[in-house]
Amino acid sequence: RYLLVVRGAKETHAAGMLSLVGGKVEDAGTTANILEETLRREIREEIAVEISDMIYVHSSAFVSDDQDQVVDVVFLCRWSEGEPIINDLDEVASIRWLTANEILTNPDTPDWTRNSVRRAEKMRSLLGW
């Protein structure tokens, strides 16, 4: 299963849609593994769980609904500890554990999330997870 969120109603991009957890690189300074550290921080901040075994899946660029330039980097990772909870209802409306098929067939899943999950499924299969 994959742990996804429904984006909060106050989110400026894709509000109410199913989404992988993520966020922005903030005040990085000089940092090794910035993408991995950002992902760990964002998952902690948004749903209070810890992850491990992060494997790069793919990246893309797009312009968000509010015209921000975004670089989207997707990792496949494993849940390692913690019970998922919502820390900020403005950001996360709900949390859902879903199978790949449930994500791919859900009408609230945007195309970019479907694409990421399809790619993650290929990687998961290659890894034998």
Side-chain angles (χ1 to χ4, degrees), residues 56 58-64 68-74 112 115:
Y56 171 83
H58 79 105
S59 62
S60 60
F62 66 93
V63 178
S64 70
D68 283 340
Q69 296 284 328
V70 177
V71 174
D72 184 34
V73 182
V74 176
W112 58 85
N115 181 46

Side-chain angles (χ1 to χ4, degrees), residues 9-77:
K10 292 185 179 181
E11 286 291 298
T12 58
H13 178 72
M17 303 299 282
L18 276 173
S19 176
L20 300 170
V21 178
K24 297 176 183 170
V25 173
E26 298 172 354
D27 302 320
T30 302
T31 306
N33 302 315
I34 188 60
L35 298 177
E36 294 86 342
E37 291 306 314
T38 296
L39 181 57
R40 281 188 185 95
R41 177 184 49 77
E42 286 290 340
I43 289 173
R44 253 185 243 117
E45 287 176 3
E46 290 188 19
I47 58 173
V49 298
E50 298 295 327
I51 58 170
S52 64
D53 303 323
M54 296 188 308
I55 306 295
Y56 171 83
V57 174
H58 79 105
S59 62
S60 60
F62 66 93
V63 178
S64 70
D65 296 342
D66 54 359
Q67 302 305 303
D68 283 340
Q69 296 284 328
V70 177
V71 174
D72 184 34
V73 182
V74 176
F75 286 87
L76 177 66
C77 50

